[in-house]
């Protein structure tokens, strides 16, 4: 039986990386509203991954 917690954490990490990529694009394009909307999701995922014990040092490119 697969480890559901591990699958949830993996999905959150994938989403975290994807959100960061979109945030960096929005920042480059000076799309402030888009960036702020993405930032909400970024902070949610970051807090979830911290609680799950994921070390974000290497994958957190935004650092907010």
């Amino acid at each position: 039986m697969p480890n559901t917690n591990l699958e949830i954490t993996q999905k959150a990490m994938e989403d975290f990386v994807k959100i960061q990529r979109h945030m960096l694009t929005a920042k480059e394009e000076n799309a402030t509203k888009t960036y702020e909307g993405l930032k909400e999701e970024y902070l949610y995922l970051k807090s979830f991954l911290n609680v799950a014990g994921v070390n974000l040092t290497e994958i957190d490119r935004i650092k907010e």
Side-chain angles (χ1 to χ4, degrees):
M1 181 170 186
N3 185 337
T4 305
N5 292 334
L6 186 58
E7 290 173 353
I8 292 169
T9 303
Q10 178 184 4
K11 174 71 171 120
M13 287 179 67
E14 291 167 356
D15 290 346
F16 185 74
V17 170
K18 188 186 323 180
I19 290 291
Q20 287 187 100
R21 187 172 45 246
H22 292 305
M23 286 176 75
L24 292 170
T25 300
K27 196 171 198 174
E28 287 174 8
E29 294 174 354
N30 203 22
T32 306
K33 286 184 180 182
T34 301
Y35 184 88
E36 289 303 317
L38 291 166
K39 184 176 176 182
E40 239 180 85
E41 183 71 14
Y42 161 83
L43 292 173
Y44 169 79
L45 288 167
K46 185 173 183 175
S47 65
F48 174 82
L49 291 169
N50 277 325
V51 169
V54 176
N55 182 350
L56 299 174
T57 304
E58 295 296 321
I59 65 170
D60 189 0
R61 296 169 53 199
I62 305 296
K63 311 282 190 220
E64 287 189 22

